[in-house]
Amino acid sequence: MRRQLTVTDGLGSAGGGAVGNTERELNREHEVLRRTLSERHARVVRLDQEDLEFDAEYEQLVAEAARLIDFENTLPARLAEPKRERSERFVRWSWRAEAAVSALLIAAVFLLENTAWWLVVLVPHLLATLGGCTIKVTATRHATQAKIAAVLHALCLLVVLVSLGVLSAWFIIAILASWLVIGVASDGTEAAKGRTL
């Protein structure tokens, strides 16, 4: 007999209301599937293989078992969905905010009549942050993507300080290195497979 699976198996205690609600709903759905399968199994074992309804009942038993297996296979991703959605909001607004800051810095170059050489740094920074706005936040990588977005904030602060002359232009090397780190870390976020706005 299969051990009863609960949605908290291997996960520890639930954190947060949305996660707790999701776990309760999934637990109820799992119980319904198990009960339905158990009832179907009880009907099949009472029948003789020669009975006319045996084949139909057996097919239904197999279908119920397949539904339960499919449910259990998708359970980890469904449990992670509330956390993924939180990460997605943070990631999406982080990239958008940094793109807006980049656009403001480009405008500041013209308004403050700074040297146009800063555009060599700021335009690629703007294009990169705009590109980041469309990265798909996946169930498997959402935590990593949120960390990348947090690092992006630090990078953007560095870009602001350098472009406004608070820090030396030598810090452009740190900006380039940071973009290299973000680019490598972002590789595998399925940007090419599924971008959304």
Side-chain angles (χ1 to χ4, degrees):
M1 189 80 164
R2 179 189 289 241
R3 177 179 73 88
Q4 179 178 352
L5 175 74
T6 61
V7 295
T8 54
D9 282 352
L11 297 175
S13 60
V19 175
N21 289 338
T22 299
E23 287 187 6
R24 278 192 292 279
E25 290 165 11
L26 290 173
N27 217 355
R28 276 196 295 271
E29 189 175 344
H30 186 251
E31 281 302 311
V32 168
L33 288 170
R34 287 187 75 255
R35 192 177 323 110
T36 304
L37 179 62
S38 179
E39 290 167 359
R40 184 70 62 183
H41 179 260
R43 280 201 293 270
V44 169
V45 295
R46 283 195 301 264
L47 294 172
D48 188 272
Q49 290 188 13
E50 303 302 321
D51 290 344
L52 293 174
E53 62 216 60
F54 179 83
D55 288 341
E57 287 291 336
Y58 187 78
E59 283 178 20
Q60 287 297 319
L61 175 67
V62 171
E64 295 293 346
R67 272 194 284 277
L68 180 60
I69 290 168
D70 288 344
F71 176 85
E72 290 179 353
N73 286 340
T74 62
L75 192 56
R78 293 173 73 181
L79 281 169
E81 185 59 16
K83 292 178 184 176
R84 188 205 66 79
E85 287 174 353
R86 270 197 308 273
S87 294
E88 181 176 45
R89 282 192 297 274
F90 175 71
V91 168
R92 193 78 62 236
W93 285 106
S94 293
W95 285 94
R96 287 173 180 167
E98 302 314 342
V101 169
S102 301
L104 288 173
L105 288 172
I106 290 171
V109 166
F110 296 105
L111 292 174
L112 300 175
E113 297 180 359
N114 287 345
T115 176
W117 280 106
W118 283 114
L119 296 177
V120 173
V121 174
L122 296 176
V123 170
H125 185 72
L126 173 63
L127 294 175
T129 53
L130 285 173
C133 292
T134 62
I135 289 176
K136 182 178 179 184
V137 180
T138 64
T140 54
R141 301 232 337 136
H142 72 90
T144 302
Q145 290 169 313
K147 290 175 188 169
I148 293 168
V151 171
L152 180 68
H153 289 295
L155 170 60
C156 194
L157 176 61
L158 184 60
V159 170
V160 169
L161 294 175
V162 171
S163 63
L164 294 179
V166 177
L167 293 177
S168 165
W170 284 103
F171 279 91
I172 290 175
I173 296 169
I175 292 170
L176 295 174
S178 298
W179 267 117
L180 179 63
V181 168
I182 288 174
V184 169
S186 295
D187 188 38
T189 57
E190 299 184 29
K193 293 180 186 175
R195 289 180 173 265
T196 59
L197 289 176

